[in-house]
Amino acid sequence: MCGIVGYIGEQEASPFLLEGLRRLEYRGYDSAGIVTVDRHRFHSRKSVGRIVELEHKLRADDAAGQLGIGHTRWATHGAANEKNAHPHFDQRGAIAVVHNGVVENFRGLRESLQAEGRAFKSETDSEVIAQLIGASLEKRLAAGETPAAADRYSVLVDAVNDALVRLRGTYGLVVIFRDFPGVMIAARLGSPIVLGVGASEHFVASDASPLVGYTDKIVYLADHQTAVITANSLHVTHRDQGQIQPHVEQLQANGADAGLDGYPHYMLKEIFEQPEALRNAMRGRVSEDDATAKFGGLNLRPNQLRGVDRIILTACGTSWHAGLLGEYIIEDLAGIPVEVEYASELRYRNPPLDNNTLLFAITQSGETADTLAALREMKRKGHPTLAICNVVGSSIAQEADGGVYLHAGPEVGVASTKAYTTQCLVLAMLALYFGRLRNLSFEAGQKIIRQLQELPDAVAKALETNDEVKRIAAKYAECRNFLYLGRQFNFPTALEGALKLKEISYLHAEGYPAAEMKHGPIALVDERTPSVVVVPRGFVFEKVMANVEEVKARGGPVIAVCAEECERVKEVVDDTITVPAVDSFVQPIVSIVPLQLLAYHIAVLRGCDVDKPRNLAKSVTVE
Ligand code: AGP
């Protein structure tokens, strides 16, 4: 959601700005803009829709200058149009700002600025920041203060800080000045800002992806820090600590190539990357000698973890579905009571929690605003907090006491696929680890490790259903409603399969525990409403088959996902997709694959924008 880039140096700024915004497209946006400074003039270009529109504008009318900032906007306050697209300017058009986050008190600020005679051009909350900086700077300049490089542009920094103290809410922002083209100021509170250090140049971005290939030296700005950036210098101050030495880190390219590699969409590429992603998530984390899993970054001693009486898994969306599966597996293998909480609910709830409660925040991006807030609330209450996260250095990864990285590689498609399966695997490994701290035997631990190790190959085999799934997708692509049914470990699979279809094909889909269907959703069943049923093996097989018969008796088509060939199922249902059978606690990691493919092919057939579905953002950084 919303992306920021900035450049100062000896090169033209606009090529980096454009490329950076392209790399941030995955976050979701509906308009974009850049501004550069050249010979004390701003060159601003904005467009609605895709970055390619902005590119056309720049091709027709270049924006010259070796200093510039850019932004992709996901509308919150005001419609998606050029007027509301960033950068925003102060009254004199001498200060430009790009901003991520939400200014909660913008209405009051806007009214008081309007009362001073300042005219606003947009409906956004962000414009008040530019106007506040402008108002402060005008006063300071009128009082005879002069910005100079020698004193690190302190007047400009003071004007920015004057504005920041008046804001309530969150910001990651970058400010440039038409009349002072030697400097760029960045600040952060709750919305990430990453600085890239080059030779006689600096970069800014809202995550590290735009910086790859430009520099491998990065600095993560922390909350309440402000950076004063010139081509050759970087000075960081903290609101309470004054000047601090920036901690320069090595940028990790995060393994996989972020290109399409010949696939038509990132989602399909990422579905097919799952065997490798699972191998990477598991690498070095299971010990056959100790019959357990091992994690380097939990930062809690085994005796502290052994003392945990209750685990809370908190997340949103797909990550919440992984949490639900985690609950089933952890309770089964480790016998620890687990609750799965929507982060947006947990952040404002006040559940009674005993001392030995451990929180895991599960998040692909590590930037989800609700998940971050829930984590902070649990930290504030004194509970240990751990993250299960894909993006290295993200806000949640930094704020948690410790955690486990997924190592799934960059996930660009808005619909999460490989992050989901690796989250499920990491939760299964944690269940093994907690189980072995308690009553799980050495022998049982070794058996679980063997089952985990089978997974990448089983998922690779499940991917071979692609052609069959495509055929089935063509058969049902015109239907408007779908039911997804699963039971026990595969109830989360049903929820996740339905979410995938909703997200990218804009069709109505509901996930249910199979047996719950007769308590209401069965009323939806007709010949145009397919039910996608994840058929289990074992003792609930007959019970799920009874639900299948109930759907068929009402004329509803059934698509069954079976673990191993099953004639009995084939006789009853309309279409069968067979995936390899693995142990029931990890079967969902295999059975979700054809459901991801089904959603993908239906969306393609319906002409939907698979990687950038309407209204959605990859990283949901607003409440
Ligand atoms: C997944 O396909 C969705 N795009 C969405 O539900 C996502 O899982 C959710 O927004 C949470 O994101 P996170 O994992 O980055 O925290």
mmCIF file of all heavy atoms in Angstrom, residues 74-113:
data_model
loop_
_atom_site.group_PDB
_atom_site.id
_atom_site.type_symbol
_atom_site.label_atom_id
_atom_site.label_comp_id
_atom_site.label_asym_id
_atom_site.label_seq_id
_atom_site.Cartn_x
_atom_site.Cartn_y
_atom_site.Cartn_z
ATOM 1 N N TRP A 74 -2.345 4.533 -2.708
ATOM 2 C CA TRP A 74 -3.525 3.681 -2.570
ATOM 3 C C TRP A 74 -4.522 4.527 -1.789
ATOM 4 O O TRP A 74 -4.304 4.848 -0.622
ATOM 5 C CB TRP A 74 -3.165 2.413 -1.804
ATOM 6 C CG TRP A 74 -4.224 1.365 -1.769
ATOM 7 C CD1 TRP A 74 -4.467 0.413 -2.709
ATOM 8 C CD2 TRP A 74 -5.170 1.138 -0.723
ATOM 9 N NE1 TRP A 74 -5.504 -0.389 -2.318
ATOM 10 C CE2 TRP A 74 -5.961 0.033 -1.106
ATOM 11 C CE3 TRP A 74 -5.437 1.762 0.504
ATOM 12 C CZ2 TRP A 74 -6.989 -0.466 -0.319
ATOM 13 C CZ3 TRP A 74 -6.472 1.274 1.282
ATOM 14 C CH2 TRP A 74 -7.233 0.165 0.868
ATOM 15 N N ALA A 75 -5.597 4.931 -2.463
ATOM 16 C CA ALA A 75 -6.471 5.977 -1.934
ATOM 17 C C ALA A 75 -7.034 5.642 -0.551
ATOM 18 O O ALA A 75 -7.566 4.562 -0.332
ATOM 19 C CB ALA A 75 -7.618 6.206 -2.909
ATOM 20 N N THR A 76 -6.881 6.570 0.391
ATOM 21 C CA THR A 76 -7.585 6.472 1.679
ATOM 22 C C THR A 76 -8.452 7.716 1.859
ATOM 23 O O THR A 76 -9.646 7.613 2.033
ATOM 24 C CB THR A 76 -6.609 6.342 2.879
ATOM 25 O OG1 THR A 76 -5.707 7.449 2.857
ATOM 26 C CG2 THR A 76 -5.844 5.041 2.843
ATOM 27 N N HIS A 77 -7.855 8.899 1.774
ATOM 28 C CA HIS A 77 -8.614 10.144 1.936
ATOM 29 C C HIS A 77 -8.713 10.823 0.579
ATOM 30 O O HIS A 77 -7.756 11.436 0.124
ATOM 31 C CB HIS A 77 -7.928 11.087 2.924
ATOM 32 C CG HIS A 77 -7.791 10.513 4.301
ATOM 33 N ND1 HIS A 77 -6.896 9.510 4.592
ATOM 34 C CD2 HIS A 77 -8.429 10.803 5.453
ATOM 35 C CE1 HIS A 77 -6.999 9.203 5.872
ATOM 36 N NE2 HIS A 77 -7.921 9.973 6.423
ATOM 37 N N GLY A 78 -9.876 10.698 -0.057
ATOM 38 C CA GLY A 78 -10.053 11.311 -1.374
ATOM 39 C C GLY A 78 -9.864 10.300 -2.488
ATOM 40 O O GLY A 78 -9.097 9.335 -2.356
ATOM 41 N N ALA A 79 -10.571 10.551 -3.604
ATOM 42 C CA ALA A 79 -10.600 9.593 -4.717
ATOM 43 C C ALA A 79 -9.232 9.452 -5.364
ATOM 44 O O ALA A 79 -8.325 10.251 -5.137
ATOM 45 C CB ALA A 79 -11.603 10.087 -5.753
ATOM 46 N N ALA A 80 -9.127 8.396 -6.210
ATOM 47 C CA ALA A 80 -7.879 8.172 -6.948
ATOM 48 C C ALA A 80 -7.883 9.064 -8.184
ATOM 49 O O ALA A 80 -8.453 8.709 -9.213
ATOM 50 C CB ALA A 80 -7.778 6.700 -7.342
ATOM 51 N N ASN A 81 -7.319 10.253 -8.065
ATOM 52 C CA ASN A 81 -7.206 11.142 -9.236
ATOM 53 C C ASN A 81 -5.876 11.911 -9.142
ATOM 54 O O ASN A 81 -5.168 11.804 -8.139
ATOM 55 C CB ASN A 81 -8.402 12.099 -9.327
ATOM 56 C CG ASN A 81 -8.591 12.888 -8.040
ATOM 57 O OD1 ASN A 81 -7.619 13.209 -7.351
ATOM 58 N ND2 ASN A 81 -9.837 13.204 -7.706
ATOM 59 N N GLU A 82 -5.563 12.665 -10.175
ATOM 60 C CA GLU A 82 -4.249 13.337 -10.207
ATOM 61 C C GLU A 82 -4.106 14.366 -9.098
ATOM 62 O O GLU A 82 -3.031 14.575 -8.546
ATOM 63 C CB GLU A 82 -4.025 13.987 -11.578
ATOM 64 C CG GLU A 82 -3.691 12.959 -12.625
ATOM 65 C CD GLU A 82 -3.191 13.565 -13.922
ATOM 66 O OE1 GLU A 82 -2.748 14.730 -13.925
ATOM 67 O OE2 GLU A 82 -3.260 12.857 -14.945
ATOM 68 N N LYS A 83 -5.232 15.009 -8.790
ATOM 69 C CA LYS A 83 -5.206 16.042 -7.747
ATOM 70 C C LYS A 83 -4.753 15.452 -6.403
ATOM 71 O O LYS A 83 -4.010 16.063 -5.651
ATOM 72 C CB LYS A 83 -6.638 16.583 -7.627
ATOM 73 C CG LYS A 83 -6.801 17.949 -7.063
ATOM 74 C CD LYS A 83 -8.273 18.339 -7.132
ATOM 75 C CE LYS A 83 -9.102 17.319 -6.377
ATOM 76 N NZ LYS A 83 -10.484 17.493 -6.215
ATOM 77 N N ASN A 84 -5.219 14.242 -6.138
ATOM 78 C CA ASN A 84 -4.900 13.623 -4.848
ATOM 79 C C ASN A 84 -3.600 12.806 -4.875
ATOM 80 O O ASN A 84 -3.131 12.362 -3.831
ATOM 81 C CB ASN A 84 -6.050 12.718 -4.406
ATOM 82 C CG ASN A 84 -7.280 13.529 -4.017
ATOM 83 O OD1 ASN A 84 -7.161 14.671 -3.572
ATOM 84 N ND2 ASN A 84 -8.454 12.970 -4.212
ATOM 85 N N ALA A 85 -3.065 12.590 -6.079
ATOM 86 C CA ALA A 85 -1.814 11.818 -6.160
ATOM 87 C C ALA A 85 -0.673 12.636 -5.560
ATOM 88 O O ALA A 85 -0.659 13.864 -5.631
ATOM 89 C CB ALA A 85 -1.513 11.484 -7.622
ATOM 90 N N HIS A 86 0.297 11.944 -4.973
ATOM 91 C CA HIS A 86 1.489 12.621 -4.418
ATOM 92 C C HIS A 86 2.462 12.853 -5.574
ATOM 93 O O HIS A 86 2.380 12.150 -6.570
ATOM 94 C CB HIS A 86 2.173 11.733 -3.371
ATOM 95 C CG HIS A 86 1.313 11.443 -2.187
ATOM 96 N ND1 HIS A 86 1.800 11.386 -0.900
ATOM 97 C CD2 HIS A 86 -0.002 11.162 -2.085
ATOM 98 C CE1 HIS A 86 0.817 11.081 -0.062
ATOM 99 N NE2 HIS A 86 -0.284 10.931 -0.770
ATOM 100 N N PRO A 87 3.430 13.697 -5.441
ATOM 101 C CA PRO A 87 3.790 14.566 -4.320
ATOM 102 C C PRO A 87 2.758 15.692 -4.103
ATOM 103 O O PRO A 87 2.065 16.097 -5.038
ATOM 104 C CB PRO A 87 5.128 15.157 -4.747
ATOM 105 C CG PRO A 87 5.619 14.283 -5.855
ATOM 106 C CD PRO A 87 4.422 13.729 -6.515
ATOM 107 N N HIS A 88 2.720 16.158 -2.842
ATOM 108 C CA HIS A 88 1.907 17.322 -2.504
ATOM 109 C C HIS A 88 2.832 18.502 -2.190
ATOM 110 O O HIS A 88 3.992 18.301 -1.806
ATOM 111 C CB HIS A 88 0.992 17.003 -1.324
ATOM 112 C CG HIS A 88 -0.083 16.040 -1.719
ATOM 113 N ND1 HIS A 88 -1.085 16.366 -2.591
ATOM 114 C CD2 HIS A 88 -0.266 14.732 -1.405
ATOM 115 C CE1 HIS A 88 -1.860 15.320 -2.790
ATOM 116 N NE2 HIS A 88 -1.386 14.307 -2.094
ATOM 117 N N PHE A 89 2.264 19.687 -2.361
ATOM 118 C CA PHE A 89 3.098 20.904 -2.276
ATOM 119 C C PHE A 89 2.537 21.860 -1.235
ATOM 120 O O PHE A 89 1.349 21.814 -0.901
ATOM 121 C CB PHE A 89 3.138 21.594 -3.643
ATOM 122 C CG PHE A 89 3.730 20.715 -4.703
ATOM 123 C CD1 PHE A 89 2.928 19.839 -5.436
ATOM 124 C CD2 PHE A 89 5.098 20.722 -4.953
ATOM 125 C CE1 PHE A 89 3.471 19.005 -6.402
ATOM 126 C CE2 PHE A 89 5.652 19.878 -5.912
ATOM 127 C CZ PHE A 89 4.842 19.024 -6.640
ATOM 128 N N ASP A 90 3.396 22.758 -0.756
ATOM 129 C CA ASP A 90 2.917 23.800 0.154
ATOM 130 C C ASP A 90 2.285 24.923 -0.678
ATOM 131 O O ASP A 90 2.255 24.856 -1.914
ATOM 132 C CB ASP A 90 4.077 24.319 1.021
ATOM 133 C CG ASP A 90 5.050 25.152 0.215
ATOM 134 O OD1 ASP A 90 5.305 24.788 -0.958
ATOM 135 O OD2 ASP A 90 5.539 26.164 0.728
ATOM 136 N N GLN A 91 1.770 25.904 0.020
ATOM 137 C CA GLN A 91 1.047 27.014 -0.636
ATOM 138 C C GLN A 91 1.866 27.684 -1.750
ATOM 139 O O GLN A 91 1.361 27.968 -2.814
ATOM 140 C CB GLN A 91 0.727 28.054 0.451
ATOM 141 C CG GLN A 91 0.206 29.351 -0.027
ATOM 142 C CD GLN A 91 -1.314 29.363 0.044
ATOM 143 O OE1 GLN A 91 -1.964 28.326 0.101
ATOM 144 N NE2 GLN A 91 -1.881 30.543 0.054
ATOM 145 N N ARG A 92 3.174 27.879 -1.493
ATOM 146 C CA ARG A 92 4.007 28.585 -2.477
ATOM 147 C C ARG A 92 4.505 27.668 -3.588
ATOM 148 O O ARG A 92 5.172 28.129 -4.513
ATOM 149 C CB ARG A 92 5.232 29.205 -1.778
ATOM 150 C CG ARG A 92 4.925 30.348 -0.821
ATOM 151 C CD ARG A 92 6.216 31.003 -0.321
ATOM 152 N NE ARG A 92 7.136 30.004 0.217
ATOM 153 C CZ ARG A 92 8.450 29.968 -0.015
ATOM 154 N NH1 ARG A 92 9.019 30.866 -0.772
ATOM 155 N NH2 ARG A 92 9.212 29.033 0.534
ATOM 156 N N GLY A 93 4.258 26.391 -3.464
ATOM 157 C CA GLY A 93 4.776 25.444 -4.451
ATOM 158 C C GLY A 93 6.284 25.324 -4.358
ATOM 159 O O GLY A 93 6.960 25.072 -5.357
ATOM 160 N N ALA A 94 6.822 25.493 -3.149
ATOM 161 C CA ALA A 94 8.277 25.480 -2.982
ATOM 162 C C ALA A 94 8.749 24.260 -2.203
ATOM 163 O O ALA A 94 9.952 24.032 -2.074
ATOM 164 C CB ALA A 94 8.718 26.748 -2.254
ATOM 165 N N ILE A 95 7.801 23.500 -1.668
ATOM 166 C CA ILE A 95 8.151 22.308 -0.874
ATOM 167 C C ILE A 95 7.309 21.151 -1.400
ATOM 168 O O ILE A 95 6.094 21.307 -1.583
ATOM 169 C CB ILE A 95 7.830 22.544 0.626
ATOM 170 C CG1 ILE A 95 8.711 23.670 1.174
ATOM 171 C CG2 ILE A 95 8.015 21.261 1.437
ATOM 172 C CD1 ILE A 95 8.284 24.152 2.539
ATOM 173 N N ALA A 96 7.938 20.014 -1.632
ATOM 174 C CA ALA A 96 7.200 18.833 -2.110
ATOM 175 C C ALA A 96 7.371 17.691 -1.114
ATOM 176 O O ALA A 96 8.465 17.489 -0.573
ATOM 177 C CB ALA A 96 7.720 18.402 -3.478
ATOM 178 N N VAL A 97 6.280 16.962 -0.877
ATOM 179 C CA VAL A 97 6.285 15.897 0.126
ATOM 180 C C VAL A 97 5.642 14.639 -0.460
ATOM 181 O O VAL A 97 4.602 14.725 -1.127
ATOM 182 C CB VAL A 97 5.470 16.332 1.380
ATOM 183 C CG1 VAL A 97 5.333 15.177 2.368
ATOM 184 C CG2 VAL A 97 6.126 17.522 2.064
ATOM 185 N N VAL A 98 6.245 13.488 -0.204
ATOM 186 C CA VAL A 98 5.558 12.210 -0.408
ATOM 187 C C VAL A 98 5.405 11.568 0.963
ATOM 188 O O VAL A 98 6.318 11.642 1.803
ATOM 189 C CB VAL A 98 6.311 11.272 -1.377
ATOM 190 C CG1 VAL A 98 6.201 11.771 -2.810
ATOM 191 C CG2 VAL A 98 7.774 11.083 -0.989
ATOM 192 N N HIS A 99 4.251 10.951 1.191
ATOM 193 C CA HIS A 99 3.924 10.470 2.537
ATOM 194 C C HIS A 99 3.214 9.131 2.480
ATOM 195 O O HIS A 99 2.280 8.948 1.700
ATOM 196 C CB HIS A 99 3.004 11.528 3.201
ATOM 197 C CG HIS A 99 2.295 11.042 4.436
ATOM 198 N ND1 HIS A 99 0.910 11.079 4.569
ATOM 199 C CD2 HIS A 99 2.760 10.499 5.591
ATOM 200 C CE1 HIS A 99 0.572 10.596 5.745
ATOM 201 N NE2 HIS A 99 1.664 10.244 6.385
ATOM 202 N N ASN A 100 3.641 8.191 3.293
ATOM 203 C CA ASN A 100 2.900 6.950 3.562
ATOM 204 C C ASN A 100 2.394 7.023 4.993
ATOM 205 O O ASN A 100 3.101 7.530 5.866
ATOM 206 C CB ASN A 100 3.812 5.723 3.443
ATOM 207 C CG ASN A 100 4.104 5.358 2.008
ATOM 208 O OD1 ASN A 100 3.621 6.004 1.087
ATOM 209 N ND2 ASN A 100 4.908 4.323 1.822
ATOM 210 N N GLY A 101 1.232 6.452 5.249
ATOM 211 C CA GLY A 101 0.677 6.472 6.600
ATOM 212 C C GLY A 101 -0.616 7.263 6.609
ATOM 213 O O GLY A 101 -1.167 7.597 5.561
ATOM 214 N N VAL A 102 -1.083 7.570 7.790
ATOM 215 C CA VAL A 102 -2.351 8.299 7.915
ATOM 216 C C VAL A 102 -2.180 9.414 8.943
ATOM 217 O O VAL A 102 -1.708 9.169 10.060
ATOM 218 C CB VAL A 102 -3.486 7.349 8.375
ATOM 219 C CG1 VAL A 102 -4.772 8.123 8.642
ATOM 220 C CG2 VAL A 102 -3.741 6.260 7.336
ATOM 221 N N VAL A 103 -2.572 10.637 8.574
ATOM 222 C CA VAL A 103 -2.559 11.748 9.531
ATOM 223 C C VAL A 103 -3.960 11.799 10.148
ATOM 224 O O VAL A 103 -4.919 12.252 9.520
ATOM 225 C CB VAL A 103 -2.226 13.085 8.851
ATOM 226 C CG1 VAL A 103 -2.192 14.214 9.876
ATOM 227 C CG2 VAL A 103 -0.894 12.987 8.121
ATOM 228 N N GLU A 104 -4.070 11.284 11.371
ATOM 229 C CA GLU A 104 -5.404 11.127 11.959
ATOM 230 C C GLU A 104 -6.065 12.468 12.268
ATOM 231 O O GLU A 104 -7.273 12.599 12.216
ATOM 232 C CB GLU A 104 -5.303 10.281 13.238
ATOM 233 C CG GLU A 104 -4.985 8.824 12.930
ATOM 234 C CD GLU A 104 -4.581 8.028 14.147
ATOM 235 O OE1 GLU A 104 -4.637 8.569 15.270
ATOM 236 O OE2 GLU A 104 -4.190 6.857 13.971
ATOM 237 N N ASN A 105 -5.267 13.478 12.617
ATOM 238 C CA ASN A 105 -5.848 14.773 12.996
ATOM 239 C C ASN A 105 -5.805 15.779 11.835
ATOM 240 O O ASN A 105 -5.745 16.981 12.050
ATOM 241 C CB ASN A 105 -5.117 15.351 14.212
ATOM 242 C CG ASN A 105 -3.626 15.510 13.986
ATOM 243 O OD1 ASN A 105 -3.057 14.838 13.147
ATOM 244 N ND2 ASN A 105 -2.995 16.400 14.734
ATOM 245 N N PHE A 106 -5.857 15.256 10.595
ATOM 246 C CA PHE A 106 -5.650 16.170 9.462
ATOM 247 C C PHE A 106 -6.784 17.188 9.312
ATOM 248 O O PHE A 106 -6.563 18.300 8.867
ATOM 249 C CB PHE A 106 -5.423 15.388 8.160
ATOM 250 C CG PHE A 106 -6.659 15.018 7.395
ATOM 251 C CD1 PHE A 106 -7.062 15.771 6.305
ATOM 252 C CD2 PHE A 106 -7.426 13.938 7.767
ATOM 253 C CE1 PHE A 106 -8.191 15.441 5.591
ATOM 254 C CE2 PHE A 106 -8.565 13.591 7.068
ATOM 255 C CZ PHE A 106 -8.958 14.347 5.975
ATOM 256 N N ARG A 107 -8.012 16.806 9.740
ATOM 257 C CA ARG A 107 -9.114 17.751 9.548
ATOM 258 C C ARG A 107 -8.888 19.033 10.342
ATOM 259 O O ARG A 107 -9.018 20.147 9.828
ATOM 260 C CB ARG A 107 -10.454 17.132 9.947
ATOM 261 C CG ARG A 107 -10.994 16.242 8.869
ATOM 262 C CD ARG A 107 -12.346 15.637 9.180
ATOM 263 N NE ARG A 107 -12.490 14.403 8.440
ATOM 264 C CZ ARG A 107 -12.685 14.340 7.127
ATOM 265 N NH1 ARG A 107 -12.797 15.458 6.438
ATOM 266 N NH2 ARG A 107 -12.767 13.185 6.511
ATOM 267 N N GLY A 108 -8.522 18.853 11.622
ATOM 268 C CA GLY A 108 -8.283 20.019 12.474
ATOM 269 C C GLY A 108 -7.124 20.855 11.950
ATOM 270 O O GLY A 108 -7.196 22.096 11.894
ATOM 271 N N LEU A 109 -6.055 20.182 11.542
ATOM 272 C CA LEU A 109 -4.877 20.893 11.031
ATOM 273 C C LEU A 109 -5.228 21.663 9.765
ATOM 274 O O LEU A 109 -4.833 22.817 9.574
ATOM 275 C CB LEU A 109 -3.750 19.893 10.738
ATOM 276 C CG LEU A 109 -3.123 19.204 11.959
ATOM 277 C CD1 LEU A 109 -2.174 18.085 11.531
ATOM 278 C CD2 LEU A 109 -2.379 20.216 12.834
ATOM 279 N N ARG A 110 -5.993 21.000 8.916
ATOM 280 C CA ARG A 110 -6.368 21.630 7.645
ATOM 281 C C ARG A 110 -7.198 22.892 7.899
ATOM 282 O O ARG A 110 -6.958 23.945 7.290
ATOM 283 C CB ARG A 110 -7.158 20.602 6.836
ATOM 284 C CG ARG A 110 -7.522 21.021 5.436
ATOM 285 C CD ARG A 110 -8.313 19.865 4.814
ATOM 286 N NE ARG A 110 -8.942 20.290 3.598
ATOM 287 C CZ ARG A 110 -8.592 19.869 2.378
ATOM 288 N NH1 ARG A 110 -7.651 18.984 2.229
ATOM 289 N NH2 ARG A 110 -9.214 20.310 1.316
ATOM 290 N N GLU A 111 -8.148 22.762 8.858
ATOM 291 C CA GLU A 111 -8.997 23.928 9.142
ATOM 292 C C GLU A 111 -8.178 25.092 9.682
ATOM 293 O O GLU A 111 -8.381 26.245 9.295
ATOM 294 C CB GLU A 111 -10.099 23.536 10.136
ATOM 295 C CG GLU A 111 -11.257 22.847 9.430
ATOM 296 C CD GLU A 111 -12.147 22.048 10.370
ATOM 297 O OE1 GLU A 111 -12.123 22.306 11.596
ATOM 298 O OE2 GLU A 111 -12.849 21.150 9.848
ATOM 299 N N SER A 112 -7.219 24.777 10.567
ATOM 300 C CA SER A 112 -6.461 25.908 11.113
ATOM 301 C C SER A 112 -5.531 26.515 10.047
ATOM 302 O O SER A 112 -5.340 27.735 10.017
ATOM 303 C CB SER A 112 -5.720 25.532 12.401
ATOM 304 O OG SER A 112 -4.762 24.573 12.119
ATOM 305 N N LEU A 113 -5.006 25.697 9.158
ATOM 306 C CA LEU A 113 -4.174 26.240 8.069
ATOM 307 C C LEU A 113 -5.040 27.065 7.104
ATOM 308 O O LEU A 113 -4.612 28.126 6.623
ATOM 309 C CB LEU A 113 -3.475 25.098 7.322
ATOM 310 C CG LEU A 113 -2.297 24.449 8.072
ATOM 311 C CD1 LEU A 113 -2.018 23.044 7.544
ATOM 312 C CD2 LEU A 113 -1.037 25.300 7.967
#
